[in-house]
Amino acid sequence: LTFLLSKNMEVNQRNVEQLVRHKNNEDKISEFLGRLQNLIEEDESQELKSISDSISRVFLKPDEIQEPEQIKEKYQEIIKLGERLERLLEEDSLRNGNIREVLSNLKDNIDFIKSINQFSNYLQIPININNNTETAKLYVFKEGKRNKAIDPRNATILLALDLPHSGHLESLVAVQGKSINITFRIEDKRVGELIKNHSEELGNSLSAKGYSLKPIKIINLGEPFSLMVLESMMNNNKDRVHFDERV
């Protein structure tokens, strides 16, 4: 409640539920889309089935994430799909309570992200990695600052991702000029070994773009990163945002 009030967001059941889902990492846009697609494919309506393929196309490939316009277009496609589905559900012959409920949850999730983005640089990106659909949660912030203006030469980026065989993985990337610090938080120790084995390759890739990678840090995952963890960091008024075992 304090978080919502601090952002001048309406304190209602919908926003409280979305914030709790977010804190528990149960708000991933890919899961809402996946549930929606499964329910549509189970429905006998051919009109609804035509939407299933369209849902598959909103997931970005990893190499497409670097294009901001691609992400914006995918969100617009999701919104248009939702509007189209709502129109179909309004027809008497296409009343499906389960689809309507998941569609409502998806809409609430997108509205919540839009509201948060008035104050924080936070985004969920539906992605497709090796034919597995997932959500990349992206936080971009300036250390110790609340304003949305970001200097790419002095910023911190956190990417959170759940992978089928690797579990929850978080990457905290701190950029200072041409120097980059990266801390990984992992659930599976084998993922840590994999990261170590490819650290030189990562360093070479960044070097080719003019950046210098400092030694990578790998620590165990505690509480998943969330908007409320970020808020706590900002309230501590630290000069630098960082990860330690207590986060």
Side-chain angles (χ1 to χ4, degrees), residues 152-153 175 177-180 203-213:
R153 297 164 300 178
V175 182
K178 290 294 184 179
S179 179
I180 294 181
N204 292 337
S205 297
L206 289 170
S207 178
K209 295 180 181 296
Y211 291 93
S212 173
L213 177 64

Side-chain angles (χ1 to χ4, degrees), residues 58-184:
V58 304
F59 288 89
L60 288 159
K61 297 293 176 61
D63 59 349
E64 295 175 319
I65 294 178
Q66 58 186 316
E67 300 295 337
E69 285 304 313
Q70 287 270 26
I71 298 173
K72 184 178 179 181
E73 287 175 11
K74 295 302 181 183
Y75 265 89
Q76 291 173 341
E77 287 179 29
I78 293 171
I79 292 170
K80 288 178 181 177
L81 279 172
E83 292 172 347
R84 179 182 166 195
L85 192 49
E86 277 185 328
R87 288 195 296 270
L88 288 173
L89 289 170
E90 288 303 318
E91 299 179 15
D92 290 340
S93 59
L94 295 177
R95 293 193 180 276
N96 187 313
N98 291 330
I99 291 178
R100 190 181 296 278
E101 181 182 358
V102 176
L103 181 61
S104 177
N105 289 336
L106 174 62
K107 182 178 183 299
D108 288 347
N109 190 43
I110 292 174
D111 287 344
F112 184 78
I113 293 171
K114 287 168 64 178
S115 296
I116 289 296
N117 260 283
Q118 297 179 59
F119 313 97
S120 303
N121 296 289
Y122 167 65
L123 188 64
Q124 289 192 24
I125 306 172
I127 60 173
N128 186 318
I129 302 177
N130 298 326
N131 294 319
N132 292 306
T133 55
E134 253 305 335
T135 299
K137 292 186 177 182
L138 184 67
Y139 306 78
V140 184
F141 50 97
K142 186 175 181 181
E143 294 178 345
K145 302 293 183 181
R146 295 179 179 276
N147 57 318
K148 280 179 61 66
I150 295 294
D151 180 356
R153 297 164 300 178
N154 180 25
T156 300
I157 302 158
L158 186 131
L159 180 67
L161 186 63
D162 290 278
L163 297 172
H165 303 294
S166 306
H168 189 75
L169 172 67
E170 295 179 355
S171 308
L172 183 74
V173 182
V175 182
Q176 291 182 305
K178 290 294 184 179
S179 179
I180 294 181
N181 279 287
I182 302 180
T183 300
F184 290 97

